[in-house]
Amino acid sequence: IIAPIAWLIAIIVSIALIASGAGSSIEEGFNDGLESTQSDSPSSEAPIDPAEPSEEPADDGEARIGETLTNNDGVSVTFTSVTCGIAVAGPEFLEETAKGQFCEVRLQVQNGSDAQISLYSSDITGRIGTAEYESNTIASSFGGESFYTDLNPGLGTEGVVFIDIPADAALEYVVYRPLWSFLTDEIRVKVE
């Protein structure tokens, strides 16, 4: 039973990685202008159970954990917490062991667009310097479901994503960027 599920997950992840690679060069031009506008325009829509706002505004102009950001598709994301140093993650019988350490990224997503969106754990990545770290598909979930969910307009969900990074490293950024939408701006938040 587990082998076909793992095979299906491998196919989905491969397709997502191919789509990500094709869209990376297109997105670079769009993402350059996002950094200056992201932190200047906070979302008017609050996600489900919004996190407490930051005590002090960021002095470097970068968004922080707890801030709600909205991309050009109208999707609002709030990264509520990042906890690293986790050795094992995932549901029972499908637990994954980190090769370095897992960073648990908790987030809330609110679909403020006019169309259904598909939300994948691979839409969430971590960054350290110029290196990008993918999420672990098996360990991650949205709204108590699997690594994937559909979200209709006006609805929101919570998610938990696990990113495997080197044991001696510290995650610098967490990023939401839908792999299937090449013209969508990324949402990037600094981890402190």
Side-chain angles (χ1 to χ4, degrees), residues 77-154:
V77 176
T78 307
F79 289 102
T80 57
S81 69
V82 175
T83 306
C84 294
I86 300 169
V88 178
E92 189 177 3
F93 303 116
L94 291 175
E95 290 181 334
E96 293 282 300
T97 301
K99 293 173 182 62
Q101 63 172 319
F102 279 126
C103 288
E104 176 192 75
V105 178
R106 293 195 172 270
L107 68 149
Q108 298 170 342
V109 179
Q110 182 76 26
N111 184 3
S113 73
D114 294 333
Q116 181 185 68
I117 62 168
S118 295
L119 188 60
Y120 297 89
S121 61
S122 53
D123 294 342
I124 314 301
T125 58
R127 291 196 187 142
I128 302 173
T130 58
E132 186 168 43
Y133 295 85
E134 302 292 327
S135 61
N136 183 296
T137 304
I138 294 173
S140 303
S141 66
F142 290 102
E145 297 179 26
S146 63
F147 64 94
Y148 158 81
T149 191
D150 288 323
L151 201 56
N152 282 324

